[in-house]
Amino acid sequence: MFTEYNRKPVAAAVLGLATVLALTACSSGRQAAGSEGQEGTKVDGRISLTYLQKQGDQEYFVGEAAGAKAKADELGIDLKVVNVGTDANKTISEARSAISQKSNGLIVVVPDPAVGPQVAQIAKDSGVALLTSDDQICTTGPDPSSCPADALVPRIGFSGAQMGGEVGKRAAAEYKKAGWNPAETRTISAWKQDVTVCTDRVKASKEAFAADSGSKVQNIDVPTDNSPTGAQDKIAATITANPGVEHWVVWGCNDENVQGGVTALENAGFKADDVIGVGLGAYLACKNWGSGKPSGMKAALFINGRDVGALAVRTMYDKLKNGKAFPKEAFAPTTMVDASTWKSAGVTCG
C-alpha cells in the first residue's frame, strides 16, 4: 500500500506555507488550520466529492476506488476519483482543481505527508470538508508522528497497532508450530521507515511476536521503499550478511515487503518450510497460494480497500448531509487468511 515518495519537490512549498501560516496567525489573531476547521458546511442539494488517491493503479487502491464509487452511487453522490500516483505536487494541483469544480468535500490519500499543511489550508480557505483515508496528515507540520492531536486531519482506514499485532500473533503461531531453534532463526521487519503508519504496524508486529512466541529471536530491521523489488534487494543483502541463519520470519508494512522477502529467500535457496512470511494486504500473498506450489508466504492479513473507500464516502456524506461530526479515526475490519481460506474470505487476486 505504501511506495516510495520524494519529499524534495515539495519541501520549499511546505516551508513557505509554514511561514505564511505563522504570519497569518500572528497578524489576524486566528489559529492556523486545525482539524476542527476541516469539516465544511452542510449541503442541502446533491453532494459532489473528489477522492485523490496515491498509486491508484495498485490493487488495494483500485478496490478502494471501487468501494467509494459503489457507495457514492448508493447515496446519490457525484464522485470523481483522481489518481495522483506518487506526485505530491499533483496532489496540491488536483486539490485546487477540485475546489474550482465546486466539490463539497475532499478525501485524500497523500503520496507524501509533507503536503498535509498545504492541502489542509486549501480546504480550509475554501470552506470544503477534508478527510483522509489510509495515511495520516497533519495541518500544522509535515510529520504526523509529531503532530498535536487536535491538528491531525480525521482519518478513515485501519488501525496500525491492531493490524501489526495480528500479523505478529500469526507469525508467532507459525513459528511455534515449526519448532525452530531461536538461535538459528531471525525475524525481518521490512518497511519504509519515514512512513508513520508503517512504523506503527511493524512496532506492533514485533511486540506481539515477542509476547506470543515464548522465545527470544533476534530481529533485523530492513529499510525499504515499500515495493516488492526494493524489499527483495534489501532483504537479499540481509540474507547474505547473515550466512548462519537457517530459518527466517518476515513481516512488514504491506504485502509488497513480505513478498519481496519471500522471493529473496527463495532465490537464496531457502525452502518454503524454512520461511514464515505473514503479509499485510493479501493482494500479493494470494498469488503464491493460487499457484498451488509450496510457499514461504504462510498467511496474510486481508485489508479490503473497498471497505475503506465506502466508509470514507459514507463518513463524508454523514457530515455534509446530516451535520454529523467527523470521528478522529474510523477503522474498517480486517481478516487473517491463508492458502485454505483466502478465496472464501473474498480476497481479489489481481
Side-chain angles (χ1 to χ4, degrees):
M1 290 171 53
F2 305 93
T3 58
E4 184 173 15
Y5 51 68
N6 186 356
R7 293 183 182 274
K8 291 181 181 178
V10 299
V14 171
L15 180 60
L17 176 69
T19 303
V20 170
L21 291 178
L23 290 173
T24 301
C26 290
S27 61
S28 67
R30 292 186 291 109
Q31 288 185 329
S35 61
E36 71 283 353
Q38 304 297 317
E39 298 187 357
T41 57
K42 194 171 179 180
V43 177
D44 292 328
R46 190 174 178 89
I47 292 172
S48 175
L49 302 180
T50 300
Y51 209 132
L52 305 180
Q53 286 185 311
K54 70 177 183 180
Q55 302 167 245
D57 56 352
Q58 188 198 71
E59 186 70 30
Y60 171 85
F61 291 114
V62 169
E64 184 176 75
K69 290 173 182 177
K71 182 58 68 174
D73 288 343
E74 175 190 324
L75 297 173
I77 292 172
D78 292 329
L79 175 69
K80 181 180 180 181
V81 178
V82 180
N83 177 16
V84 299
T86 58
D87 189 338
N89 289 318
K90 185 176 181 181
T91 306
I92 296 169
S93 64
E94 290 292 348
R96 290 185 175 129
S97 176
I99 299 300
S100 69
Q101 293 172 25
K102 308 302 182 184
S103 283
N104 304 117
L106 294 177
I107 305 171
V108 186
V109 191
V110 293
D112 185 342
V115 300
Q118 193 161 357
V119 172
Q121 192 67 33
I122 290 169
K124 181 179 176 65
D125 289 346
S126 305
V128 169
L130 177 64
L131 189 63
T132 65
S133 71
D134 304 293
D135 299 348
Q136 198 93 63
I137 65 172
C138 179
T139 65
T140 57
D143 183 4
S145 67
S146 59
C147 185
D150 62 355
L152 289 170
V153 174
R155 181 179 78 92
I156 306 298
F158 299 100
S159 165
Q162 182 269 332
M163 288 193 299
E166 291 299 316
V167 168
K169 289 176 184 177
R170 182 57 180 258
E174 295 287 343
Y175 167 78
K176 289 191 288 187
K177 183 169 67 175
W180 294 342
N181 182 342
E184 299 174 344
T185 305
R186 296 291 183 273
T187 63
I188 286 178
S189 301
W191 81 107
K192 193 172 192 306
Q193 296 181 353
D194 58 358
V195 177
T196 308
V197 292
C198 288
T199 301
D200 292 343
R201 296 174 188 183
V202 169
K203 180 176 181 288
S205 294
K206 292 180 187 179
E207 291 173 349
F209 182 86
D212 285 26
S213 65
S215 61
K216 293 183 179 180
V217 178
Q218 182 180 330
N219 176 76
I220 303 173
D221 288 341
V222 179
T224 74
D225 63 1
N226 277 352
S227 73
T229 53
Q232 181 179 333
D233 291 344
K234 291 296 183 71
I235 292 174
T238 301
I239 297 165
T240 301
N242 292 270
V245 178
E246 301 290 334
H247 314 289
W248 294 89
V249 182
V250 185
W251 58 66
C253 177
N254 53 17
D255 257 23
E256 285 83 350
N257 279 289
V258 183
Q259 183 61 63
V262 168
T263 301
L265 287 159
E266 289 175 352
N267 291 345
F270 285 87
K271 296 180 180 179
D273 288 344
D274 293 316
V275 178
I276 295 171
V278 181
L280 205 163
Y283 45 85
L284 295 182
C286 61
K287 296 181 180 181
N288 297 272
W289 306 325
S291 70
K293 299 177 182 179
S295 172
M297 187 75 79
K298 297 300 190 292
L301 190 68
F302 177 33
I303 54 175
N304 193 342
R306 292 186 68 95
D307 292 340
V308 172
L311 182 57
V313 169
R314 177 80 223 193
T315 302
M316 184 67 82
Y317 175 88
D318 285 343
K319 172 59 188 174
L320 295 177
K321 184 60 66 175
N322 304 319
K324 184 178 179 180
F326 285 143
K328 290 294 185 182
E329 289 187 299
F331 301 132
T334 60
T335 306
M336 187 64 70
V337 296
D338 55 30
S340 65
T341 62
W342 68 273
K343 289 183 179 179
S344 61
V347 176
T348 300
C349 207

